Amino acid sequence: MRALVAEATKLTRNREGVEVTSTAQVITEPDLDCPAESLLTLPSGRITKALSVANHTAPGLPVPQSTEVMCE
């Protein structure tokens, strides 16, 4: 699967709403089936866990739909 991966530290909220530190953000195709707690292997080879998953739509805007996964 193709994805945009940014390995950068950011504050985010996990699925329980608790503020946590994310070390990677993955943006990929819409409707990705990646529940929180799923394991992902990043292009660097690092294995990480999904903290939160958000589906983004932009009706009427010139940007694509996508799924954003914030990782440990």
Side-chain angles (χ1 to χ4, degrees):
M1 157 184 43
R2 297 180 337 159
L4 171 66
V5 178
E7 291 195 56
T9 303
K10 294 182 180 184
L11 286 177
T12 190
R13 296 196 180 272
N14 65 14
R15 63 182 179 164
E16 287 87 27
V18 177
E19 194 170 80
V20 294
T21 302
S22 168
T23 61
Q25 175 189 30
V26 178
I27 298 178
T28 188
E29 63 191 36
D31 303 321
L32 172 72
D33 184 19
C34 178
E37 304 293 317
S38 295
L39 294 178
L40 291 90
T41 302
L42 302 178
S44 65
R46 182 168 66 98
I47 298 174
T48 186
K49 189 184 299 185
L51 294 170
S52 63
V53 180
N55 293 311
H56 299 290
T57 60
L61 296 176
V63 295
Q65 295 182 16
S66 63
T67 298
E68 175 186 49
V69 181
M70 299 301 282
C71 304
E72 272 185 342

